[in-house]
Every structure is written in C-alpha cells, then in structure tokens.
C-alpha cells in the first residue's frame, strides 16, 4: 500500500510540474498575443497541446492507480486520510496543496490568455469588417475545407 | 440654378462642422478628466420628400444637407465586460494578499527575536540545569523566566492576531458600506439618466460617472452588466441598466441575484452576529460574515414585492474583494469541519494553529513534571503543573497560556529526578524536558484521521509560516496575472474611449476644412444667385 501511495504522490507531483509549465505557457501566450508575434503564439499553442495530452495521460494513470488501490472516485482531498502512515499522509497532503495552488494559478493565467486571444481575434474581425470582408464568410470557407489547415 | 434650398445644404454643413469642432474641443479639454469618454457627432444625410403640388418630379435630387442626429460616446461594451471581469479577480487577489501580509507581519519571526528564538532559549536554559545546578533556585528561576517569556510571546501573537481580526472585521463593514454607497449612487444616476432620456438629453456626463462607479463596483463583487430598455408611463422607450450577481448554485430554479434594476437597487449585508436577548430570546446569532443581497428597493427605499434576493451561499468561484475578505475573517483551513471550505486559510486558521501549539507544548511540559515515563503520577517534592490558563478556563490556548501560580509561588518547581529521595544532583527528568524540544508531535485537523503536521514544536510554527508563504505566493502570482491582464484590456479600452490627441488633431483639420468648404460653397451659391439676379439678361 505504501508503494502505491508513493506512486500516487509521484503522479500528483508530476501533475503539479506539468501544470506549472502550462501556466508559464499561458503567460507566454499573453505576451505573444500582446506583441502580435504569430510564430511565438503558434509555438505556444503546440506546447499547450503537448502539455494537455500529457495531463490527459497522467489523469488516466491516476484513475487507474486509484482503482487498483481501491479508492476509485475518491476526491484528492479525501486521499490523504487513507494513507497507511502519518508521514505518507502529510507528504500527500502537501503534494495535493501544491497541486491545488498551482492549478489556481494556471486557471487564472489560462483565462487571462483566453481573454487576450479573444480581444485579438475581435480586433481582427473588426478590421476585416472595415476592409469589407465578412468574418462569417471566412469561417464558412474554412468549414468547406477551402483553406489549408493551420496546424498541419 | 441656385435656389434657397441649396443655401440650406451648405448652412447645414457649416453647422455640422462647427458642432464637430466643438466636440473635438470638448474631447481635447477633457483629456485628463477621469472617466471621460471620447465623443463623436452622429450625422446622416438629410433627405425630405415633399408632397402635393410642390413635390419635385425630377429624377435627380441632391438631398437637403446633413442632419445632426446626436452626440454619442465611443465605448466598446465587450472590452468593458472583459475589463470588469478581470478587475473582480484583481480585487479578490488583492484583498487576499492584504490579508496574508497582515498575518505575515504577526507570525513571521525569521531573523527576529520571536517564538522560535524563545523555544531555543528555553531549551538552552534546560541545558544549563546540569548536574551541578539542579535544585538551585537560581537556575529554576532562569527556566521559569524563559517559560514566562515564551507564554508572553504566545499571548502577544494571539492578541495581535485577534486585533488584526477585529480590524479586518471593521474594514469588511466599511467595504460593504462602500459597495452599498456605490449601488445607491448608480441607482440615482440611473434615475437621472432616465429623466434625461425622456427629455431627449443624452446625459453623457452622467453615463461617464456611472461607468466609473460600475468599474469600481466590479472590484468588490462579480457582476454582469446589461443594458435593456423600458417603456415609461408616457410610452417613451428609455434605456435601463441592470446589474446582476451570478448565482453559482446548481439547480433549475436558480436565478442570478439582481443588484440594480434601473432606478431600483438592493443592498449587500453580512452576518455580523448578535448576542442573545434576555432569557435567550431572540437567540444568539453566529458571526459567519456570510454575504447576502437584500430585496430590491425603489429609489425612496421602499422594498419591491417579489424582487427578493438572498444569501450568497455557494463559496465557489471568485466574488471579488468582499468574498476574499470573508475568507480572511473565517478561513479555518484544515480545522474546518466542511471539506469544501477547507482550502481557505484566514486569520482563524493561524489563531487555531497557535492555540494547538500552545496547548501541545503546555500539556507535554506538565506531563513531564507530573508523571513518570509510564504515566504514573509523580510523588516527588515540587511535582505539579508548570503551565495553566491565566483566566481560569479549562483549555489552554495561546491567548491564555501562563506559568501556573504554583510554579510562580515556588510550590511547584522543575522536577529534576522522578525518583524520590535521589541526590540533589540527579537530573534524569531534565533530559525528558529537553526531549520535548526534539521529539515529534502530531497536529491533526478537523476531519477524522487528518494530520496537518508531524515534527518538532518549533517546526510546527515554521510550518505555519511555510503554509502562509505558499498561499501568499499563489495569491501573488494570481494577482500579477489578473492585474497585467486588466491593465492590457484597459489600454485597449482606453484606445477606444480615451482621448487621442493625434486623432483629435486630424479631426480638427478635417472639420475645419469641411467648414471652410461649406463657406466657400455658400460664396459660390451667392455668386450664382448674383449672376441670376443682377446680370442675367442685361
């Protein structure tokens, strides 16, 4: 059981580390969007995708491990009380606290980045409108597959 | 051929250019006025179709000049919404930081002569009670004085946390009063704007004032601002401002709280508790500081039936500075019975931690001076409790811990040996006292089986500072993100509604040229008319 909890704590710490990197990437997105640096923004988007996929795979690992430990569907805040000894309990509690704090930071940065991108896109749409291009029409064209895939 | 109607076309052009120049002048003169929104003249082509026998039957009509439709403010509601959203986060994290800074000033004793240093001092005094000194009044007094100082430091820390809590409570009350004052002012402005709308006045200055107040309100509480319309008794359609507070509770019947609905407004209050009346009637009300939004009232303060709001019960999401202040006043962290709110650590968390530290320390010291390692009562001379409460209450806390009267009077002293009748130099019990400073203690939370910390006593105090540091760092990073985002959106917003001297300069030249051209047109028409009247057929 102690070994399982050690693995669980490692996953939580990995989560924290990836989420920290994701928060940094969100800040880079804000700075790229502010300086109209499309290349940097595209790089950040790629990084963001990689981190999101890493988180998804880690989440699968966590769910699987919790299932094996017999704590399926238990909340993270409930896990420390299930630890086999006090030391593990404190270690897990501290890891969970760090993760929660980092998640809050990431969520703030992510919403700020989203706002910044939305503002930028809106500006683009307004400019398109001024030069007589209907943004909705462009969207239709994208759906029809008439444009090259940006991410390809 | 020039007709008198053509003079009207030019005249309207001159008037419009003159008015546009006046507006440019107004914009420039208000470049530094707080909250001023750049204005522009709304114009459209003036066309009229006459009827009857004077109606023009020709296919070509030049029009009838330019019509001034009104003056509008250049604002972008999208940016306003985004800005206010971020400002709610700025207000919330700023209030969190203020709370943490206040606590930090009290419990952070790194590099200072605080609690940690006093623990070391007491341990040092026990170290000096070596084989040659045990039993001497001089060294017992040294330990006693050091222990008394430790108690005083704990008392002081507790008292400072309590004063900080009281000060924060006062500040919370003031902030709620500020919010209510803002709501009242917006209500009054809405009423004045409505009256102006009815009389056809655009009341732009009032709208500027209102926007500044809405921006201010967004720091205190999360708001949604909507502009709708209402029909007056006289049938005129006028604008109506509605401000709501999103209700994050789940369920089908859940509705947002209405803070302002046109000239009607609700007031925010918090539960500051009440003492029980005589015989317990009415019963005492607990101080929960929970926020609640009252019934919507008209501008005279009369409640409007069917427009009740209610308490803000769901503590998820950020509600601006008021919610954060409440967190500082009530946050019990791991000591909270409610697992959903155990994440928030405010002043009560640190008060409780300090109490736990004082109690654990006192219990351990008393146990060594009253029991042998097996838990049997000591029968040696001077055995007894070293620490007690100074107010006679049953439980030792940081605020009431003191050395016991018996130790102060000399009836009890540090028991140097648990063996009755052993020589005056026996010091086997002294090492048990010293062990207290080096052994691990477990500090638990409210949830069953939960542990907050395991380690040395002074380590627990260091852990409190570490927890505060982590919370502070988190709030600080969140604040930085919110503030820079709000700043950036504000710059974009400023680019829309702020006065830009370059743009105004270009406008000035354009309107000046338009005015001169209209004048020139008038002169041309005059010369055409002169041709027709004085020189035709001569």
């Amino acid at each position: 059981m102690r070994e399982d909890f050690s693995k669980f704590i490692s996953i939580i710490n990995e989560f924290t580390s990836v989420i920290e990197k994701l928060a940094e990437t969100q800040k880079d997105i804000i700075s790229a969007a502010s300086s109209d640096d499309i290349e940097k923004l595209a790089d950040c988007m790629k990084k963001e995708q990689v981190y999101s996929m890493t988180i998804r795979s880690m989440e699968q690992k966590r769910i699987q491990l919790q299932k094996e430990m017999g704590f399926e569907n238990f909340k993270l805040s409930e896990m420390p009380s299930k630890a086999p000894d006090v030391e593990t309990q404190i270690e897990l509690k501290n890891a969970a606290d760090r993760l929660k704090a980092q998640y809050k930071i990431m969520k703030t940065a992510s919403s700020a980045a989203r706002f910044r991108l939305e503002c930028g896109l809106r500006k683009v749409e307004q400019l398109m409108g001024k030069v007589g291009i209907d943004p909705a029409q462009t969207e239709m064209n994208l759906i029809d597959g008439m444009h090259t895939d940006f991410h390809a | 051929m020039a007709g008198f109607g053509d003079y009207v076309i030019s005249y309207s052009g001159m008037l419009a250019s003159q008015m546009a120049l006046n507006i440019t002048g107004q914009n420039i003169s208000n470049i530094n006025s707080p909250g001023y929104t750049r204005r522009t003249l709304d114009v459209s082509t003036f066309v009229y179709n006459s009827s009857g026998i004077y109606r023009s039957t020709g296919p070509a009509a030049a029009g009838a000049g330019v019509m001034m439709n009104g003056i509008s403010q250049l604002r972008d509601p999208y940016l306003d919404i985004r800005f206010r959203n971020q400002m709610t986060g700025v207000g919330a994290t700023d209030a969190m930081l203020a709370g943490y800074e206040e606590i930090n000033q009290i419990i952070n004793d790194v590099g200072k002569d605080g609690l940690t240093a006093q623990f070391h001092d007491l341990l040092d005094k026990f170290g000096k009670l070596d084989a040659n000194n045990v039993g001497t009044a001089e060294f017992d007094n040294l330990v006693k004085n050091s222990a008394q100082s430790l108690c005083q430091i704990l008392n002081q820390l507790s008292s400072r946390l309590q004063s900080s809590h009281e000060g924060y409570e006062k500040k919370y009350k003031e902030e709620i009063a500020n919010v209510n004052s803002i709501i009242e002012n917006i209500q009054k402005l809405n009423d004045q704007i409505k009256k102006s709308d009815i009389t056809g006045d655009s009341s732009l200055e009032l709208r500027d004032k209102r926007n500044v107040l809405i921006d201010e309100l967004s720091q205190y509480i999360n708001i949604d601002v909507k502009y709708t319309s209402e029909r007056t008794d006289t049938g005129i359609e006028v604008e109506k401002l509605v401000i709501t507070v999103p209700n994050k509770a789940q369920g089908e019947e859940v509705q947002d709280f209405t803070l302002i609905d046109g000239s009607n407004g609700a007031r925010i209050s918090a539960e500051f508790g009440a003492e029980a009346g005589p015989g317990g009637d009415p019963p005492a009300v607990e101080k929960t500081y929970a926020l609640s939004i009252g019934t919507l009232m008209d501008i005279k303060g009369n409640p409007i039936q069917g427009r009740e709001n209610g308490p803000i019960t769901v503590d998820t999401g950020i509600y601006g500075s008021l919610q954060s202040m409440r967190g500082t006043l009530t946050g019990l962290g791991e000591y909270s019975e409610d697992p959903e709110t155990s994440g928030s650590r405010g002043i009560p968390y640190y008060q409780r931690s300090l109490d736990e530290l004082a109690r654990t320390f006192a219990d351990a010291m008393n146990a060594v001076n009253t029991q042998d390692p097996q838990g049997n009562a000591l029968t040696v001379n001077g055995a007894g409790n070293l620490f007690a409460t100074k107010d006679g209450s049953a439980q030792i806390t940081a605020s009431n811990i003191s050395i016991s009267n018996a130790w102060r009077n000399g009836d009890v002293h540090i028991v140097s040996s648990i063996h009755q009748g052993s020589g005056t130099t026996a010091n086997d019990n002294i090492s048990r006292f010293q062990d207290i400073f080096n052994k691990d203690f477990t500090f638990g939370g409210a949830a069953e089986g939960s542990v907050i910390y395991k380690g040395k006593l002074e380590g627990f105090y260091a852990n409190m500072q570490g927890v505060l540091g982590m919370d502070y760092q988190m709030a600080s990073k969140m604040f930085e993100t919110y503030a820079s985002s709000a700043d950036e959106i504000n710059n974009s917003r400023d680019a829309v509604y702020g006065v830009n001297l370059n743009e105004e300069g270009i406008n000035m030249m354009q309107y000046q040229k338009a005015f001169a051209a209209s004048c020139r047109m008038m002169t041309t028409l005059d010369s055409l008319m002169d041709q027709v009247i004085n020189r035709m057929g001569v």
Side-chain angles (χ1 to χ4, degrees):
Chain A
M1 185 57 101
R2 184 180 291 214
E3 207 174 298
D4 284 342
F5 266 94
S6 291
K7 271 190 210 165
F8 188 75
I9 291 167
S10 298
I11 290 178
I12 299 299
N13 287 336
E14 271 179 57
F15 255 120
T16 309
S17 156
V18 177
I19 285 175
E20 194 176 352
K21 284 176 191 159
L22 192 55
E24 285 305 315
T25 309
Q26 301 299 330
K27 283 183 186 170
D28 289 344
I29 289 176
I30 298 170
S31 114
S34 306
S35 54
D36 297 328
D37 189 341
I38 297 290
E39 277 180 29
K40 192 179 168 190
L41 188 62
D43 277 349
C44 291
M45 294 292 194
K46 277 180 198 163
K47 271 190 198 171
E48 192 187 21
Q49 271 188 332
V50 172
Y51 292 138
S52 301
M53 281 158 71
T54 314
I55 288 173
R56 241 175 266 160
S57 107
M58 280 163 48
E59 180 63 358
Q60 290 303 318
K61 261 197 234 173
R62 182 191 67 83
I63 292 169
Q64 184 59 32
L65 183 60
Q66 264 189 239
K67 200 175 173 182
E68 284 167 17
M69 290 162 81
F71 302 125
E72 198 180 358
N73 298 330
F74 273 58
K75 286 182 188 170
L76 183 58
S77 56
E78 294 169 331
M79 287 299 286
S81 60
K82 308 291 167 200
D85 52 65
V86 172
E87 283 75 16
T88 313
Q89 186 178 348
I90 292 169
E91 202 184 339
L92 179 52
K93 183 193 149 304
N94 291 341
D97 275 356
R98 281 195 299 273
L99 176 60
K100 274 187 219 164
Q102 201 54 57
Y103 178 70
K104 279 186 186 174
I105 293 168
M106 192 277 291
K107 226 175 139 189
T108 311
S110 159
S111 88
R114 201 183 67 236
F115 283 164
R116 188 65 198 82
L117 288 176
E118 278 176 10
C119 287
L121 287 172
R122 198 164 168 276
K123 217 189 263 179
V124 171
E125 277 188 4
Q126 281 174 339
L127 282 173
M128 283 169 82
K130 274 186 189 170
V131 294
I133 303 167
D134 180 9
Q137 189 61 39
T138 318
E139 205 174 303
M140 280 299 289
N141 288 342
L142 276 171
I143 293 164
D144 294 344
M146 288 170 73
H147 285 245
T148 313
D149 185 1
F150 179 74
H151 294 293
Chain B
M1 192 188 84
F4 286 105
D6 302 327
Y7 279 101
V8 173
I9 295 177
S10 300
Y11 177 60
S12 71
M14 284 166 68
L15 280 182
S17 302
Q18 176 65 55
M19 179 56 80
L21 272 169
N22 288 348
I23 292 167
T24 304
Q26 173 75 357
N27 283 345
I28 293 169
S29 60
N30 280 291
I31 190 164
N32 293 319
S33 304
Y36 179 78
T37 305
R38 186 155 64 109
R39 294 170 189 180
T40 183
L41 180 67
D42 297 328
V43 289
S44 63
T45 308
F46 186 34
V47 182
Y48 65 86
N49 292 313
S50 58
S51 58
I53 57 168
Y54 300 109
R55 183 169 171 265
S56 168
T57 51
V66 62
M67 189 163 74
M68 291 183 276
N69 298 323
I71 301 165
S72 60
Q73 291 178 311
L74 291 163
R75 280 196 92 89
D76 186 342
Y78 172 87
L79 291 174
D80 280 341
I81 291 168
R82 290 285 177 252
F83 175 73
R84 286 164 190 158
N85 204 305
Q86 293 299 290
M87 284 310 284
T88 307
V90 170
T93 47
D94 193 29
M96 265 186 217
L97 281 176
Y100 293 144
E101 267 165 22
E102 191 136 345
I103 299 166
N104 187 45
Q105 279 178 6
I106 300 167
I107 70 158
N108 187 357
D109 69 353
V110 175
K112 287 185 239 169
D113 288 338
L115 192 62
T116 312
Q118 199 53 44
F119 270 124
H120 290 167
D121 183 72
L122 186 58
L123 178 62
D124 183 54
K125 295 291 183 293
F126 274 110
K128 284 177 180 165
L129 275 178
D130 60 16
N132 298 322
N133 296 311
V134 289
T136 62
E138 186 194 343
F139 279 86
D140 191 74
N141 279 340
L142 279 178
V143 173
K144 198 192 294 181
N145 291 340
S146 181
Q148 180 63 32
S149 296
L150 186 73
C151 291
Q152 280 167 355
I153 290 173
L154 282 166
N155 297 160
Q156 246 175 33
L157 288 172
S158 177
S159 150
R160 285 180 68 193
L161 279 174
Q162 187 53 35
S163 333
S164 168
H165 192 271
E166 283 160 12
Y168 226 72
E169 182 182 312
K170 209 173 150 193
K171 203 172 159 193
Y172 186 54
K173 266 186 196 165
E174 283 169 6
E175 296 290 63
I176 289 170
N178 278 347
V179 172
N180 287 333
S181 156
I182 292 171
I183 293 170
E184 197 182 340
N185 286 335
I186 294 176
Q187 255 184 281
K188 284 179 187 166
L189 284 169
N190 280 349
D191 192 52
Q192 286 176 30
I193 290 168
K194 183 179 169 182
K195 283 174 186 161
S196 301
D197 273 356
I198 292 168
T199 56
D201 179 8
S202 53
S203 58
L204 301 178
E205 283 76 17
L206 299 179
R207 286 168 204 274
D208 281 346
K209 267 191 196 173
R210 188 171 68 178
N211 280 321
V212 170
L213 288 173
I214 297 171
D215 285 352
E216 209 180 318
L217 183 64
S218 69
Q219 292 184 51
Y220 290 103
I221 195 155
N222 191 14
I223 50 169
D224 273 345
V225 182
K226 291 183 197 87
Y227 294 90
T228 59
S229 62
E230 65 177 328
R231 196 171 284 277
T232 61
D233 297 340
T234 49
I236 301 168
E237 190 100 358
V238 291
E239 179 207 271
K240 186 170 83 161
L241 174 91
V242 178
I243 299 181
T244 54
V245 175
N247 186 348
K248 302 212 170 185
Q250 304 288 317
E252 284 178 11
E253 306 240 324
V254 172
Q255 281 189 332
D256 289 347
F257 303 104
T258 308
L259 211 53
I260 292 173
D261 184 19
S263 52
N264 305 320
R267 297 290 177 269
I268 290 179
S269 61
E271 186 52 75
F272 286 102
E275 284 180 18
D281 186 32
V285 180
E286 198 193 340
K287 253 185 197 183
T288 60
Y289 305 102
L291 288 168
S292 105
I293 301 176
T295 304
L296 218 59
M297 295 183 294
D298 66 17
I299 200 138
K300 289 176 184 160
N302 303 313
I304 300 167
Q305 282 201 336
R307 299 303 304 270
E308 289 83 12
N309 284 296
I312 303 175
T313 52
V314 182
D315 287 351
T316 51
I318 291 178
Y319 285 93
S321 63
L322 288 186
Q323 195 69 12
S324 293
M325 289 184 85
R326 189 189 166 220
T328 304
L329 284 168
T330 59
L332 268 168
E334 288 88 339
Y335 297 113
S336 167
E337 302 280 349
D338 179 5
E340 292 299 318
T341 57
S342 63
S344 160
R345 298 183 194 99
I347 297 170
Y349 170 83
Y350 294 94
Q351 285 177 313
R352 187 73 179 269
S353 297
L354 214 54
D355 288 346
E356 293 294 328
L357 179 63
R359 185 162 40 250
T360 308
F361 165 74
D363 287 350
M365 294 288 278
N366 286 344
V368 171
N369 215 49
T370 53
Q371 295 167 7
D372 67 13
Q374 287 74 42
N376 304 313
L378 291 179
T379 52
V380 294
N381 281 342
N385 282 342
L386 299 170
F387 294 92
T389 60
K390 59 183 175 187
D391 54 6
S393 52
Q395 203 170 36
I396 289 178
T397 63
S399 64
N400 66 20
I401 188 170
S402 167
I403 60 166
S404 66
N405 282 334
W407 192 17
R408 192 175 287 118
N409 301 336
D411 299 336
V412 164
H413 59 76
I414 299 284
V415 174
S416 54
S417 174
I418 58 170
H419 306 292
Q420 183 71 39
S422 51
T424 51
T425 56
N427 63 350
D428 50 276
N429 210 37
I430 300 298
S431 60
R432 285 180 69 210
F433 278 112
Q434 288 170 316
D435 283 347
I436 291 173
F437 297 86
N438 296 315
K439 77 179 222 189
D440 288 348
F441 290 89
T442 303
F443 293 85
E448 201 184 330
S450 79
V451 177
I452 294 175
Y453 176 80
K454 187 184 176 189
K456 290 180 194 173
L457 288 172
E458 64 170 285
F460 180 63
Y461 190 59
N463 182 63
M464 279 166 63
Q465 295 170 38
V467 166
L468 180 65
M470 193 179 75
D471 285 347
Y472 185 89
Q473 202 187 13
M474 178 196 73
S476 173
K477 282 189 179 176
M478 285 167 70
F479 174 77
E480 274 171 31
T481 311
Y482 277 127
S484 70
S485 176
D487 197 36
E488 207 166 309
I489 296 172
N490 198 33
N491 285 342
S492 305
R493 209 166 69 129
D494 207 34
V496 177
Y497 81 76
V499 178
N500 182 315
L501 282 181
N502 292 336
E503 278 185 39
E504 297 302 335
I506 292 165
N507 286 345
M508 209 193 310
M509 285 192 287
Q510 192 185 330
Y511 298 139
Q512 190 190 6
K513 278 183 186 169
F515 185 85
S518 292
C519 291
R520 178 71 198 141
M521 187 68 202
M522 195 74 100
T523 312
T524 307
L525 289 174
D526 207 25
S527 105
L528 290 178
M529 193 60 86
D530 180 55
Q531 184 75 31
V532 171
I533 295 169
N534 299 320
R535 281 192 278 274
M536 231 169 79
V538 176

